[in-house]
Amino acid sequence: MTLLKPAIGDGPNSTYGMIGSSPAMRKVYEQISKVAPLDVTVLITGETGTGKQLVADAIVEKSPRKNPYIIVNCTAIPKDLLEAELFGYKKGAFTGAVADRKGKFKAANLGILLLDEIGDMDLSLQSKILRAVEYGKISPLGHEYEESVNVRVITTTNRDLKLRVREGKFREDLFYRLNIFSIEAPSLRERPEDIQLLIDHFVKFYSKEFGRYIKISPDIIKKLTNHKWKGNVRELESLIKRVIISEGVPQSNISELPTLNEDYFEELLDTSLNIKLIDNIPLKMLKETLKETLKEIRRDLVVKALRESRGNKSKAARMIGMSRKIIPYYIEKYNIRPEEF
Ligand SMILES: Nc1ncnc2c1ncn2[C@@H]1O[C@H](COP(=O)(O)OP(=O)(O)OP(=O)(O)O)[C@@H](O)[C@H]1O
Ligand SMILES: [Mg+2]
């Protein structure tokens, strides 16, 4: 539930906007510089939260065809709508198609289309994707002829695509076509030496963002380094963000920076979990996580509404279906600062 993504460019500890100097990350940077200037498809693999989106963004940034850059999340859109979304349609192609609509392939013409989480795409759509990638041909729904597009396609997946191919859920020809060049975003387990750098970065970033400061002791850093991060960088980032929001002190009290004790982190680590592991989590712990997550969502929702209503509390309340009185209450409760909206 990060509202503002860390705006991290190249710096002493970051390359292509990514933090990490481990051999595993250095390999990723090398692969990015090798493939970005070439006009080829790239498949980015890796577990959830490992930074696949950042790798894609870096390739786009270093590619000669940066614009337009269109992203489609293949899991977020229901199968039937995804075809229309990607390839577009002609007026009257189906009930509700009241006007022609350009699809994302066409919108990305001369630029880059990122198909996020392609591993989940329905088999029936995959042949159309293959034709678009292989020959640059698309057929909008209800259109009699194919149209040509010139698009560089980048894909990501957290699935084992080879396994999907073996299971008959992913077309083998499409897999080979997409896998011309692949980059694996490494899990945090494969690069524990980067954890301290990431912690330092997120502490700095979110302290600035929220105007709240904490100190993390070497013992805790050691504990966090040894922790098995199932949600990878996203899980670590969200933990640091939560700690800063709930335990940070204002800069004016900088001499009293709270150093958090081990038990506190132990508890947080227990509750910061990968949602996919729900089956193995005791109910009590799930309840706590849910409470924490809902709090975060509610805060983000209120900030977003305030931002979109330019700070108008009545309008913000209306936008999210809450009563006018509740907004000042949440501003106070969640320590929402005027700079955030
Ligand atoms: N190397 C890194 N340095 C700094 N921040 C990172 C790094 N890798 C990931 N992040 C941060 O972690 C979060 C998740 O990253 P991202 O969305 O790129 O992961 P993903 O692999 O696409 O995840 P998913 O599979 O869930 O879509 C983002 O907030 C991102 O900024
Ligand atoms: Mg992603």
Side-chain angles (χ1 to χ4, degrees):
M1 269 303 129
T2 313
L3 257 184
L4 297 170
K5 288 286 166 202
I8 41 180
D10 283 7
N13 296 319
S14 71
T15 311
Y16 296 140
M18 274 169 271
I19 303 288
S21 55
S22 56
M25 283 310 284
R26 282 212 302 274
K27 181 171 169 207
V28 169
Y29 307 144
E30 266 167 38
Q31 289 175 309
I32 294 173
S33 16
K34 207 179 278 175
V35 79
L38 309 178
D39 218 5
V40 295
T41 51
V42 185
L43 172 65
I44 305 164
T45 60
E47 293 174 16
T48 184
T50 46
K52 296 185 291 297
Q53 177 77 53
L54 293 184
V55 173
D57 294 350
I59 294 174
V60 172
E61 189 51 39
K62 297 289 163 192
S63 161
R65 45 159 95 208
K66 298 199 221 193
N67 281 310
Y69 172 30
I70 308 279
I71 303 175
V72 177
N73 184 323
C74 302
T75 47
I77 306 171
K79 170 184 151 245
D80 296 337
L81 295 182
L82 186 57
E83 181 171 3
E85 181 77 9
L86 287 172
F87 300 103
Y89 51 81
K90 284 277 158 199
K91 179 177 170 181
F94 48 87
T95 327
V98 290
D100 290 4
R101 171 125 189 250
K102 190 161 81 171
K104 299 293 188 192
F105 266 98
K106 194 88 187 170
N109 198 27
L110 303 180
I112 296 181
L113 178 64
L114 172 62
L115 297 175
D116 208 11
E117 298 305 344
I118 192 156
D120 297 287
M121 182 180 279
D122 207 76
L123 257 180
S124 59
L125 250 186
Q126 291 175 18
S127 52
K128 281 192 105 173
I129 299 286
L130 181 64
R131 191 149 173 77
V133 175
E134 184 89 326
Y135 301 105
K137 296 286 184 197
I138 55 163
S139 31
L141 296 170
H143 200 307
E144 285 175 36
Y145 307 100
E146 284 189 319
E147 290 178 6
S148 294
V149 283
N150 175 354
V151 173
R152 181 180 185 183
V153 173
I154 301 179
T155 55
T156 76
T157 185
N158 59 23
R159 302 267 194 166
D160 180 346
L161 274 195
K162 275 193 200 142
L163 180 66
R164 305 274 295 166
V165 169
R166 281 201 299 277
E167 290 170 346
K169 293 184 177 140
F170 203 86
R171 286 182 69 118
E172 192 170 15
D173 46 8
L174 180 59
F175 169 67
Y176 286 118
R177 186 61 192 74
L178 299 177
N179 194 32
I180 285 179
F181 192 98
S182 69
I183 300 180
E184 168 144 26
S187 69
L188 269 187
R189 292 183 302 288
E190 294 162 85
R191 52 185 195 111
E193 63 271 49
D194 286 337
I195 291 184
Q196 169 139 26
L197 284 178
L198 284 159
I199 295 173
D200 290 348
H201 167 72
F202 291 129
V203 165
K204 214 154 119 194
F205 180 83
Y206 286 111
S207 295
K208 200 160 157 221
E209 167 93 1
F210 296 113
R212 290 280 185 274
Y213 297 79
I214 52 158
K215 198 162 24 187
I216 298 191
S217 71
D219 281 353
I220 306 251
I221 294 202
K222 202 159 144 211
K223 185 181 269 299
L224 297 182
T225 305
N226 293 329
H227 182 67
K228 300 284 165 252
W229 298 96
K230 306 252 166 31
N232 293 295
V233 185
R234 181 181 294 110
E235 187 186 0
L236 173 65
E237 178 179 356
S238 138
L239 176 117
I240 301 290
K241 183 178 170 188
R242 278 160 55 191
V243 170
I244 288 179
I245 290 175
S246 56
E247 305 298 325
V249 295
Q251 193 166 19
S252 54
N253 301 348
I254 202 133
S255 57
E256 305 162 20
L257 283 187
T259 307
L260 303 163
N261 68 27
E262 290 215 17
D263 291 349
Y264 173 80
F265 269 93
E266 198 72 66
E267 219 171 277
L268 267 186
L269 286 171
D270 280 348
T271 54
S272 91
L273 52 89
N274 183 339
I275 211 83
K276 287 179 189 147
L277 298 173
I278 265 179
D279 280 347
N280 305 324
I281 310 290
L283 206 59
K284 181 169 170 284
M285 226 178 248
L286 271 182
K287 198 179 91 191
E288 281 311 301
T289 309
L290 181 66
K291 223 164 68 192
E292 193 59 39
T293 309
L294 286 179
K295 217 159 60 184
E296 225 175 298
I297 294 176
R298 204 176 293 126
R299 185 183 194 282
D300 285 350
L301 184 74
V302 172
V303 171
K304 197 166 160 66
L306 282 165
R307 196 174 288 161
E308 287 185 10
S309 65
R310 295 175 190 281
N312 181 323
K313 296 188 184 102
S314 310
K315 202 163 157 200
R318 271 199 310 278
M319 285 167 98
I320 51 178
M322 288 183 179
S323 92
R324 162 74 179 79
K325 276 192 221 136
I326 204 102
I327 300 282
Y329 167 73
Y330 279 140
I331 291 180
E332 163 96 349
K333 180 167 171 178
Y334 296 135
N335 179 32
I336 300 173
R337 292 160 303 114
E339 311 90 86
E340 290 181 73
F341 51 90

